[in-house]
Amino acid sequence: RGEEEEEEEMEGWHQLYPGHIPTSPLQKALLAAGSAVMALYDPYRHDMVAVLGETTGCLALPNLRDKMKNHPEGYRILQERPRIRLSTLDMARLQGLPDGSLGREYVRFLEENKVSPDTRMPPKFVDDEELAYVIQRYREVHDLMHTLLGMPTNMLGEVVVKWFEAIQTGLPMCVLGAAFGPVRLSTRKLQVLATELVPWAIRSGLNASCVLNVYYEQRWEQPVESLREELGIFPPP
């Protein structure tokens, strides 16, 4: 009878949210180590980057959740749980918005860089349903960070965004990407990164309010420059 109860408990644990895979601390450590190696070897392995974020975010995710709970707009996001997917976006409407607006520039970013919001993987290894949504939200607003910061999806742009996100979120995965991403850059790009882009990303990350506390879906008409100013992001160099 004891074994049956234990199995029922484990089965309930599996149902924290769709796709959840319960793991022990040792399993998380092994997954973190393996995904870190693979992510450093190939930074475009988004699946490995995702696993690394989930298995190492045990301290950062509760902190981000608390920041959202203590902010009116962030709290509403946690309650309503909006998703940024092709199925939830009115692409025709966003394309018809004025140049410079958040919605128009976001669609322009997706088109120019040939990326889709649907490529963001759902969480699997976060053992808390609310924290799983927090990391899902972080992933789905990542492209909006590129839009706000004016950064492309090449390695230089990704490293700059990771520096900003590392300061903003404290996620070890972002810190790792910010620290080791530059090793693949040319000497010229490293110079630009070190002298202009990283100092700007760090200053902006420290100065800006929490970017997860913005209900972007209700801000599509807002000019990007206005939202940058509201958040405290300095104009890109």
Side-chain angles (χ1 to χ4, degrees), residues 7 25 29 41 47-48 57 73 85 96 106-107 118 120 183 187 196 217 220 225:
E7 286 176 10
Y41 177 74
D47 55 339
M48 293 293 98
E73 202 164 337
R85 313 275 296 169
Y106 173 61
V107 171
D118 287 358
R120 301 300 167 192
V183 299
T187 303
E196 295 182 38
E217 296 89 331
W220 293 131
E225 288 187 9

Side-chain angles (χ1 to χ4, degrees), residues 42-74:
D42 182 2
Y44 291 102
R45 280 291 302 272
H46 298 299
D47 55 339
M48 293 293 98
V49 174
V51 172
L52 181 61
E54 293 175 34
T55 53
T56 60
C58 56
L59 296 179
L61 288 176
N63 184 47
L64 286 171
R65 187 258 318 274
D66 292 345
K67 285 183 179 180
M68 295 177 75
K69 281 189 170 181
N70 292 322
H71 186 277
E73 202 164 337

Side-chain angles (χ1 to χ4, degrees), residues 80-85 88-89 120 122 133 136-137 140 217:
E80 299 178 9
R81 305 223 176 157
R83 297 291 307 276
I84 299 177
R85 313 275 296 169
T88 64
L89 296 173
R120 301 300 167 192
Y133 175 75
Q136 182 76 53
R137 183 66 175 175
E140 292 183 358
E217 296 89 331

Side-chain angles (χ1 to χ4, degrees), residues 168-198:
Q168 274 277 308
T169 68
L171 286 166
M173 172 265 294
C174 295
V175 176
L176 192 69
F180 290 96
V183 299
R184 294 171 175 268
L185 297 175
S186 66
T187 303
R188 182 178 62 83
K189 288 182 178 178
L190 279 173
Q191 185 177 3
V192 173
L193 188 72
T195 59
E196 295 182 38
L197 294 176
V198 167

Side-chain angles (χ1 to χ4, degrees), residues 170-236:
L171 286 166
M173 172 265 294
C174 295
V175 176
L176 192 69
F180 290 96
V183 299
R184 294 171 175 268
L185 297 175
S186 66
T187 303
R188 182 178 62 83
K189 288 182 178 178
L190 279 173
Q191 185 177 3
V192 173
L193 188 72
T195 59
E196 295 182 38
L197 294 176
V198 167
W200 164 71
I202 292 175
R203 283 195 309 119
S204 291
L206 290 170
N207 189 64
S209 54
C210 180
V211 293
L212 291 185
N213 285 335
V214 178
Y215 211 137
Y216 295 97
E217 296 89 331
Q218 298 180 358
R219 307 283 200 113
W220 293 131
E221 293 85 359
Q222 185 172 355
V224 170
E225 288 187 9
S226 167
L227 186 52
R228 279 186 192 140
E229 186 175 343
E230 178 186 332
L231 288 170
I233 297 174
F234 299 111

